[in-house]
Amino acid sequence: MSEFTIRPARPGEEAVIVSFIRAIAAYEKMEDQVIADEAGMHEEVFVRQSCGVLFACEDDVPVGFALYYYNFSTFMGRRGLYLEDLFINPDKRGHGYGKALFCALAQKAVQEGLGRMEWVCLDWNQPSIDFYKRMGARAMDEWTLYRLQDDTLKQAAKEDTVWKK
């Protein structure tokens, strides 16, 4: 029987992190949007510590990952944990790795006195939606996610006439 553990990513495992990012992008049919690389992940995870990565491992070999960061709720007046990605290799699904990663992040949030844990899920990803509901999550259907990136972000950055008057 393999030894199963949840542990933080270690410096030198940037390629593993990027491989999981590429795998989740493939699952979500968004491979063309991945620009993350090992150097950038090293900088963000291990130097700036702007996000964290947990691995689900068999005999210390990662079979899944969760990438998270902290956000802030003005209404609660406290930080929260934002789960950006949770992915388990397809051949390892159904063995409790995803649940273990999810619960480890919930435990982290509770231990650190955080106000909540949040994430988004694609509307078509029914297996994940079912999993999150089994874990007690509630969909925030009354909210819509908005995004600026690339050219729209640059354009918004140029719209300075309103606040400079």
Side-chain angles (χ1 to χ4, degrees):
M1 178 136 200
S2 299
E3 181 184 351
F4 168 65
T5 57
I6 300 291
R7 66 165 176 81
R10 302 172 184 139
E13 294 181 315
E14 295 84 353
V16 179
I17 296 169
V18 172
S19 72
F20 279 121
I21 292 169
R22 291 191 183 287
I24 196 168
Y27 177 76
E28 294 176 348
K29 300 169 184 57
M30 301 170 83
E31 299 109 317
D32 61 324
Q33 296 183 34
V34 177
I35 59 172
D37 61 20
E38 293 175 34
M41 293 313 297
H42 177 80
E43 180 71 19
E44 296 300 332
V45 177
F46 302 111
V47 177
R48 292 184 185 176
Q49 298 179 346
S50 59
C51 61
V53 173
L54 293 181
F55 286 139
C57 299
E58 279 185 358
D59 297 324
D60 206 40
V61 175
V63 298
F65 92 127
L67 189 144
Y68 66 94
Y69 57 90
Y70 297 98
N71 59 14
F72 189 83
S73 166
T74 55
F75 288 10
M76 296 180 86
R78 339 194 282 210
R79 292 184 315 152
L81 189 145
Y82 188 86
L83 172 60
E84 179 67 24
D85 286 321
L86 176 67
F87 183 82
I88 306 299
N89 286 335
D91 64 326
K92 300 297 181 179
R93 293 181 187 157
H95 299 286
Y97 298 116
K99 184 175 182 180
L101 279 170
F102 190 86
C103 290
L105 288 174
Q107 290 167 2
K108 182 175 189 55
V110 169
Q111 290 167 356
E112 294 181 14
L114 306 180
R116 60 186 174 206
M117 183 169 140
E118 297 177 306
W119 60 95
V120 296
C121 184
L122 291 166
D123 291 339
W124 58 259
N125 192 347
Q126 199 60 50
S128 293
I129 292 168
D130 293 344
F131 168 76
Y132 295 136
K133 285 183 177 179
R134 283 194 309 273
M135 297 304 296
R138 179 176 63 89
M140 303 295 289
D141 295 329
E142 64 275 15
W143 294 84
T144 301
L145 177 67
Y146 290 90
R147 175 179 294 160
L148 291 174
Q149 72 181 49
D150 302 326
D151 291 340
T152 58
L153 180 60
K154 290 174 186 169
Q155 182 60 39
K158 291 179 184 177
E159 300 293 335
D160 61 355
T161 56
V162 173
W163 59 270
K164 283 193 173 181
K165 289 184 180 182

